[in-house]
Amino acid sequence: MRLGVLDVGSNTVHLLVVDAHPGARPLPAHSHKAELRLAQLLDEDGAIGPDGVEQLVAVVREALQAAEDKGVEDLLPFATSAVREASNADDVLARVRAETGVELTVLAGPEEARLTFLAVRRWFGWSAGRLLVLDIGGGSLEIAYGIDEEPDAAVSLPLGAGRLTAARLPGDPPHPDDVRTLRRHVRTEIAREVGEFSRFGAPDHVVATSKTFRQLARIAGAARSAEGLYVQRELKRASLEAWVPRLAAMTSAERGELPGVSEGRAGQLLAGALVAEAAMDLLHVESLEICPWALREGVILRRLDHMGDERAPERGAGPY
Protein backbone atom coordinates (compact mmCIF):
# COMPACT_ATOMS: atom_id res chain seq x y z
CA MET A 1 0.00 0.00 0.00
CA ARG A 2 1.01 3.63 -0.28
CA LEU A 3 1.57 5.24 3.12
CA GLY A 4 2.14 8.87 3.93
CA VAL A 5 3.70 10.21 7.12
CA LEU A 6 3.11 13.89 7.89
CA ASP A 7 5.73 15.16 10.33
CA VAL A 8 4.97 18.56 11.87
CA GLY A 9 8.39 19.22 13.30
CA SER A 10 10.03 22.18 14.95
CA ASN A 11 11.81 23.20 11.73
CA THR A 12 9.80 21.73 8.87
CA VAL A 13 6.50 20.16 7.97
CA HIS A 14 7.48 17.12 5.94
CA LEU A 15 5.26 14.70 4.06
CA LEU A 16 7.04 11.45 3.18
CA VAL A 17 5.20 9.04 0.88
CA VAL A 18 6.36 5.43 0.72
CA ASP A 19 5.28 2.21 -0.95
CA ALA A 20 5.27 -0.48 1.68
CA HIS A 21 3.82 -3.69 3.03
CA PRO A 22 4.57 -5.71 6.19
CA GLY A 23 7.96 -7.42 6.07
CA ALA A 24 9.32 -5.26 3.25
CA ARG A 25 11.58 -2.23 3.25
CA PRO A 26 9.57 1.01 2.74
CA LEU A 27 10.43 2.52 -0.63
CA PRO A 28 10.30 6.34 -0.81
CA ALA A 29 7.95 7.57 -3.53
CA HIS A 30 7.58 11.29 -2.85
CA SER A 31 8.72 14.00 -0.44
CA HIS A 32 7.04 17.35 0.20
CA LYS A 33 8.63 19.86 2.62
CA ALA A 34 7.90 23.33 3.92
CA GLU A 35 10.26 25.28 6.18
CA LEU A 36 8.05 26.61 8.98
CA ARG A 37 10.40 26.83 12.01
CA LEU A 38 7.62 26.55 14.58
CA ALA A 39 10.19 26.41 17.38
CA GLN A 40 11.14 29.99 16.52
CA LEU A 41 7.53 31.25 16.24
CA LEU A 42 6.68 30.86 19.94
CA ASP A 43 5.83 34.11 21.73
CA GLU A 44 6.95 35.14 25.22
CA ASP A 45 4.21 33.01 26.77
CA GLY A 46 5.32 29.92 24.85
CA ALA A 47 2.34 30.01 22.50
CA ILE A 48 2.31 29.67 18.73
CA GLY A 49 1.02 33.05 17.56
CA PRO A 50 -1.86 33.65 15.12
CA ASP A 51 0.50 34.01 12.13
CA GLY A 52 2.22 30.75 13.02
CA VAL A 53 -1.09 28.92 13.32
CA GLU A 54 -2.25 30.33 9.97
CA GLN A 55 0.97 29.18 8.33
CA LEU A 56 0.69 25.73 9.91
CA VAL A 57 -2.88 25.27 8.70
CA ALA A 58 -1.90 26.35 5.18
CA VAL A 59 1.10 24.02 5.07
CA VAL A 60 -0.88 21.03 6.39
CA ARG A 61 -3.55 21.71 3.78
CA GLU A 62 -0.87 21.72 1.04
CA ALA A 63 0.62 18.48 2.34
CA LEU A 64 -2.83 16.89 2.44
CA GLN A 65 -3.37 17.82 -1.20
CA ALA A 66 0.05 16.41 -2.12
CA ALA A 67 -0.82 13.15 -0.33
CA GLU A 68 -4.09 12.92 -2.26
CA ASP A 69 -2.33 13.65 -5.55
CA LYS A 70 0.15 10.84 -4.88
CA GLY A 71 -2.55 8.29 -4.06
CA VAL A 72 -1.80 7.90 -0.34
CA GLU A 73 -4.13 5.31 1.21
CA ASP A 74 -3.21 5.84 4.85
CA LEU A 75 -1.87 9.11 6.28
CA LEU A 76 -0.01 9.08 9.61
CA PRO A 77 0.10 12.68 10.87
CA PHE A 78 2.06 13.61 14.00
CA ALA A 79 3.66 16.60 15.71
CA THR A 80 6.79 16.83 17.84
CA SER A 81 8.29 19.23 20.37
CA ALA A 82 7.24 22.65 19.00
CA VAL A 83 3.54 21.76 19.16
CA ARG A 84 3.97 19.45 22.16
CA GLU A 85 5.40 22.22 24.32
CA ALA A 86 3.35 25.16 23.03
CA SER A 87 1.16 26.62 25.77
CA ASN A 88 -1.76 26.74 23.32
CA ALA A 89 -1.19 23.25 21.88
CA ASP A 90 -4.81 22.14 22.33
CA ASP A 91 -6.11 25.19 20.49
CA VAL A 92 -3.60 24.72 17.66
CA LEU A 93 -4.52 21.06 17.24
CA ALA A 94 -8.24 21.90 17.26
CA ARG A 95 -7.72 24.60 14.62
CA VAL A 96 -5.77 22.23 12.36
CA ARG A 97 -8.43 19.54 12.78
CA ALA A 98 -11.32 21.96 12.09
CA GLU A 99 -9.77 23.51 8.98
CA THR A 100 -8.05 20.52 7.39
CA GLY A 101 -9.63 17.42 8.92
CA VAL A 102 -6.16 16.23 9.96
CA GLU A 103 -5.93 14.84 13.51
CA LEU A 104 -2.33 15.39 14.57
CA THR A 105 -0.99 12.90 17.10
CA VAL A 106 1.39 14.66 19.47
CA LEU A 107 4.33 12.39 20.24
CA ALA A 108 5.77 12.51 23.73
CA GLY A 109 9.52 13.08 23.80
CA PRO A 110 10.47 9.57 24.97
CA GLU A 111 8.16 8.05 22.33
CA GLU A 112 9.92 10.14 19.69
CA ALA A 113 13.22 8.70 20.92
CA ARG A 114 11.84 5.14 20.89
CA LEU A 115 10.51 5.40 17.33
CA THR A 116 13.80 6.84 16.09
CA PHE A 117 15.62 4.01 17.85
CA LEU A 118 13.36 1.47 16.10
CA ALA A 119 14.25 2.94 12.70
CA VAL A 120 17.97 2.84 13.47
CA ARG A 121 17.76 -0.74 14.75
CA ARG A 122 15.98 -1.88 11.58
CA TRP A 123 18.51 -0.09 9.38
CA PHE A 124 21.59 -1.62 11.02
CA GLY A 125 20.10 -4.92 12.17
CA TRP A 126 20.85 -7.11 15.15
CA SER A 127 24.55 -7.38 14.35
CA ALA A 128 25.00 -3.77 15.49
CA GLY A 129 24.64 -4.97 19.07
CA ARG A 130 24.00 -2.40 21.77
CA LEU A 131 22.99 0.87 20.10
CA LEU A 132 23.29 4.42 21.40
CA VAL A 133 21.20 6.75 19.22
CA LEU A 134 21.36 10.56 19.18
CA ASP A 135 18.92 12.82 17.33
CA ILE A 136 19.02 16.64 17.33
CA GLY A 137 15.84 18.24 16.05
CA GLY A 138 14.72 21.83 15.92
CA GLY A 139 13.12 21.68 19.36
CA SER A 140 14.67 18.77 21.24
CA LEU A 141 17.51 16.30 21.62
CA GLU A 142 16.59 12.62 21.85
CA ILE A 143 18.90 9.96 23.27
CA ALA A 144 18.10 6.23 23.32
CA TYR A 145 20.07 3.10 24.22
CA GLY A 146 19.31 -0.60 23.93
CA ILE A 147 20.04 -4.03 22.52
CA ASP A 148 16.52 -4.85 21.28
CA GLU A 149 14.01 -2.95 19.14
CA GLU A 150 12.62 -1.25 22.24
CA PRO A 151 15.34 0.80 23.98
CA ASP A 152 16.29 0.24 27.59
CA ALA A 153 16.48 4.01 28.12
CA ALA A 154 15.03 6.88 26.12
CA VAL A 155 15.00 10.59 27.00
CA SER A 156 14.08 13.85 25.33
CA LEU A 157 15.69 17.15 26.31
CA PRO A 158 14.67 20.70 25.25
CA LEU A 159 17.97 21.17 23.41
CA GLY A 160 16.88 21.50 19.80
CA ALA A 161 19.05 23.59 17.49
CA GLY A 162 16.25 25.95 16.46
CA ARG A 163 14.95 26.48 19.98
CA LEU A 164 18.41 27.24 21.40
CA THR A 165 19.34 29.58 18.56
CA ALA A 166 16.18 31.64 18.92
CA ALA A 167 16.39 31.84 22.71
CA ARG A 168 20.10 32.09 23.40
CA LEU A 169 22.12 33.14 20.33
CA PRO A 170 20.73 36.50 19.17
CA GLY A 171 23.83 37.82 17.39
CA ASP A 172 25.13 37.04 13.91
CA PRO A 173 27.80 36.00 14.55
CA PRO A 174 26.86 35.41 18.20
CA HIS A 175 28.74 37.12 21.00
CA PRO A 176 31.39 34.83 22.56
CA ASP A 177 29.76 35.28 25.99
CA ASP A 178 26.45 33.96 24.60
CA VAL A 179 28.23 30.98 23.08
CA ARG A 180 29.94 30.16 26.40
CA THR A 181 26.68 30.53 28.32
CA LEU A 182 24.87 28.23 25.89
CA ARG A 183 27.70 25.68 26.01
CA ARG A 184 27.47 25.60 29.81
CA HIS A 185 23.66 25.26 29.73
CA VAL A 186 23.73 22.41 27.20
CA ARG A 187 26.34 20.46 29.12
CA THR A 188 24.48 20.88 32.39
CA GLU A 189 21.26 19.53 30.88
CA ILE A 190 22.92 16.53 29.22
CA ALA A 191 25.08 15.72 32.27
CA ARG A 192 21.91 15.16 34.32
CA GLU A 193 21.01 12.23 32.05
CA VAL A 194 24.42 10.59 31.60
CA GLY A 195 23.96 8.23 34.54
CA GLU A 196 20.77 6.82 32.99
CA PHE A 197 22.84 5.52 30.08
CA SER A 198 26.25 4.80 31.60
CA ARG A 199 24.77 2.13 33.89
CA PHE A 200 24.14 -0.06 30.83
CA GLY A 201 27.80 -0.11 29.82
CA ALA A 202 29.52 0.99 26.63
CA PRO A 203 27.49 0.70 23.41
CA ASP A 204 28.72 -1.42 20.52
CA HIS A 205 27.62 1.13 17.94
CA VAL A 206 26.82 4.84 18.24
CA VAL A 207 24.50 6.31 15.64
CA ALA A 208 23.12 9.77 14.93
CA THR A 209 20.17 10.87 12.85
CA SER A 210 18.74 14.26 11.81
CA LYS A 211 19.67 17.02 9.41
CA THR A 212 21.90 18.68 12.00
CA PHE A 213 24.16 15.65 12.38
CA ARG A 214 24.21 15.05 8.62
CA GLN A 215 25.37 18.60 8.00
CA LEU A 216 28.00 18.44 10.72
CA ALA A 217 29.32 15.18 9.27
CA ARG A 218 29.37 16.70 5.78
CA ILE A 219 31.43 19.75 6.74
CA ALA A 220 33.79 17.40 8.60
CA GLY A 221 34.41 15.48 5.37
CA ALA A 222 31.64 12.87 5.04
CA ALA A 223 30.30 11.89 1.63
CA ARG A 224 27.71 14.05 -0.12
CA SER A 225 24.05 13.00 -0.05
CA ALA A 226 24.23 12.58 -3.83
CA GLU A 227 26.49 9.55 -3.32
CA GLY A 228 23.53 7.58 -1.97
CA LEU A 229 22.03 6.20 1.22
CA TYR A 230 24.36 3.24 1.55
CA VAL A 231 27.67 5.11 1.74
CA GLN A 232 29.00 5.01 5.30
CA ARG A 233 29.16 8.48 6.86
CA GLU A 234 30.91 9.14 10.15
CA LEU A 235 31.45 12.08 12.46
CA LYS A 236 34.48 12.07 14.74
CA ARG A 237 34.43 14.06 17.95
CA ALA A 238 37.89 15.48 17.28
CA SER A 239 36.72 16.89 13.94
CA LEU A 240 33.60 18.36 15.52
CA GLU A 241 35.59 19.99 18.32
CA ALA A 242 37.81 21.64 15.71
CA TRP A 243 34.78 22.98 13.83
CA VAL A 244 32.86 24.48 16.78
CA PRO A 245 35.05 27.61 17.24
CA ARG A 246 35.10 28.12 13.47
CA LEU A 247 31.31 27.97 13.30
CA ALA A 248 31.05 30.36 16.25
CA ALA A 249 33.11 32.95 14.40
CA MET A 250 31.02 32.73 11.20
CA THR A 251 27.87 34.59 10.22
CA SER A 252 24.84 32.59 9.13
CA ALA A 253 25.57 33.53 5.53
CA GLU A 254 29.12 32.20 5.82
CA ARG A 255 27.90 28.93 7.33
CA GLY A 256 25.41 28.63 4.49
CA GLU A 257 28.32 28.47 2.04
CA LEU A 258 29.79 25.38 3.72
CA PRO A 259 29.36 22.06 1.88
CA GLY A 260 26.05 20.39 2.63
CA VAL A 261 24.67 23.23 4.76
CA SER A 262 21.30 24.57 3.64
CA GLU A 263 20.59 28.28 3.86
CA GLY A 264 17.53 27.64 6.03
CA ARG A 265 19.50 25.64 8.64
CA ALA A 266 22.73 27.67 8.60
CA GLY A 267 21.64 29.98 11.40
CA GLN A 268 21.10 27.14 13.87
CA LEU A 269 24.11 25.01 12.95
CA LEU A 270 26.28 26.39 15.75
CA ALA A 271 23.72 25.53 18.43
CA GLY A 272 23.39 22.06 16.92
CA ALA A 273 27.16 21.66 16.94
CA LEU A 274 27.36 22.64 20.62
CA VAL A 275 24.71 20.04 21.49
CA ALA A 276 26.39 17.35 19.38
CA GLU A 277 29.82 18.08 20.86
CA ALA A 278 28.47 18.01 24.42
CA ALA A 279 26.57 14.76 23.90
CA MET A 280 29.55 13.03 22.33
CA ASP A 281 31.91 14.26 25.04
CA LEU A 282 29.73 13.51 28.07
CA LEU A 283 28.68 10.11 26.72
CA HIS A 284 32.32 9.26 25.84
CA VAL A 285 31.69 8.92 22.11
CA GLU A 286 34.77 9.26 19.92
CA SER A 287 33.02 8.56 16.61
CA LEU A 288 29.48 7.93 15.42
CA GLU A 289 27.79 6.82 12.22
CA ILE A 290 25.02 8.69 10.44
CA CYS A 291 21.81 6.75 9.79
CA PRO A 292 19.54 7.83 6.91
CA TRP A 293 16.44 6.53 8.71
CA ALA A 294 14.96 8.44 11.65
CA LEU A 295 11.63 9.32 13.24
CA ARG A 296 9.45 9.30 10.11
CA GLU A 297 10.69 5.85 9.16
CA GLY A 298 10.12 4.69 12.73
CA VAL A 299 6.48 5.80 12.54
CA ILE A 300 6.06 3.94 9.24
CA LEU A 301 7.72 0.78 10.54
CA ARG A 302 5.53 0.77 13.65
CA ARG A 303 2.43 1.09 11.45
CA LEU A 304 3.60 -1.75 9.21
CA ASP A 305 4.22 -3.92 12.27
CA HIS A 306 0.65 -3.30 13.40
CA MET A 307 -0.63 -4.14 9.93
CA GLY A 308 1.30 -7.40 10.05
CA ASP A 309 -0.25 -8.26 13.41
CA GLU A 310 -3.74 -7.53 12.07
CA ARG A 311 -3.16 -9.81 9.07
CA ALA A 312 -1.56 -12.66 11.03
CA PRO A 313 -4.69 -14.90 11.13
CA GLU A 314 -4.85 -14.79 7.33
CA ARG A 315 -1.47 -16.49 6.95
CA GLY A 316 -2.76 -19.98 7.40
CA ALA A 317 -3.47 -22.42 10.18
CA GLY A 318 -0.03 -24.05 10.35
CA PRO A 319 1.98 -24.16 13.58
CA TYR A 320 4.30 -21.35 12.39
Side-chain angles (χ1 to χ4, degrees), residues 213-224:
F213 270 114
R214 289 199 301 272
Q215 291 185 341
L216 291 171
R218 178 72 184 95
I219 66 174
R224 299 173 302 152

Side-chain angles (χ1 to χ4, degrees), residues 191-215:
R192 292 190 182 123
E193 305 295 336
V194 167
E196 176 70 11
F197 296 92
S198 60
R199 66 191 179 92
F200 293 108
D204 298 308
H205 201 90
V206 184
V207 179
T209 71
S210 76
K211 189 74 171 287
T212 294
F213 270 114
R214 289 199 301 272
Q215 291 185 341

Side-chain angles (χ1 to χ4, degrees), residues 48-49 53 56-57 83 86 88-97 104:
I48 300 174
V53 177
L56 175 58
V57 168
V83 174
N88 60 338
D90 290 342
D91 293 337
V92 172
L93 295 170
R95 176 81 178 277
V96 171
R97 181 172 58 248
L104 287 172

Side-chain angles (χ1 to χ4, degrees), residues 3-256:
L3 289 174
V5 58
L6 179 59
D7 175 2
V8 178
S10 298
N11 280 316
T12 63
V13 176
H14 188 173
L15 170 71
L16 176 64
V17 177
V18 300
D19 291 321
H21 63 270
R25 176 172 59 93
L27 297 174
H30 179 70
S31 178
H32 176 89
K33 294 182 188 178
E35 292 273 354
L36 197 54
R37 298 193 187 95
L38 281 176
Q40 299 178 41
L41 295 178
L42 301 179
D43 62 22
E44 293 180 356
D45 298 322
I48 300 174
D51 288 345
V53 177
E54 289 284 350
Q55 291 179 54
L56 175 58
V57 168
V59 168
V60 169
R61 191 178 287 121
E62 289 174 8
L64 197 60
Q65 183 62 55
E68 181 181 323
D69 291 345
K70 296 302 177 182
V72 168
E73 299 177 53
D74 191 5
L75 183 66
L76 311 173
F78 67 89
T80 56
S81 64
V83 174
R84 178 172 69 232
E85 295 166 18
S87 60
N88 60 338
D90 290 342
D91 293 337
V92 172
L93 295 170
R95 176 81 178 277
V96 171
R97 181 172 58 248
E99 298 203 23
T100 69
V102 172
E103 184 87 38
L104 287 172
T105 297
V106 179
L107 296 180
E111 178 66 6
E112 191 175 336
R114 285 192 289 268
L115 287 167
T116 302
F117 185 89
L118 172 64
V120 173
R121 170 59 73 194
R122 294 281 178 91
W123 180 268
F124 287 104
W126 298 114
S127 63
R130 294 170 295 182
L131 285 174
L132 174 64
V133 178
L134 309 174
D135 182 4
I136 301 172
S140 59
L141 162 70
E142 276 70 48
I143 309 173
Y145 178 103
I147 196 167
D148 298 317
E149 291 198 336
E150 186 70 19
D152 296 310
V155 300
S156 179
L157 303 174
L159 298 177
R163 176 202 296 270
L164 295 177
T165 300
R168 295 176 176 268
L169 292 178
D172 189 24
H175 193 280
D177 288 346
D178 291 333
V179 176
R180 281 193 295 271
T181 299
L182 176 56
R183 182 180 187 274
R184 185 164 54 248
H185 168 71
V186 166
R187 286 174 174 262
T188 298
E189 291 294 310
I190 295 175
R192 292 190 182 123
E193 305 295 336
V194 167
E196 176 70 11
F197 296 92
S198 60
R199 66 191 179 92
F200 293 108
D204 298 308
H205 201 90
V206 184
V207 179
T209 71
S210 76
K211 189 74 171 287
T212 294
F213 270 114
R214 289 199 301 272
Q215 291 185 341
L216 291 171
R218 178 72 184 95
I219 66 174
R224 299 173 302 152
S225 58
E227 295 183 39
L229 293 179
Y230 302 105
V231 174
Q232 186 178 32
R233 294 172 174 87
E234 293 183 333
L235 175 62
K236 296 184 183 301
R237 191 172 88 202
S239 298
L240 180 58
E241 289 172 344
W243 267 102
V244 167
R246 296 173 63 182
L247 293 172
M250 293 179 177
T251 64
S252 294
E254 289 169 336
R255 290 185 215 126

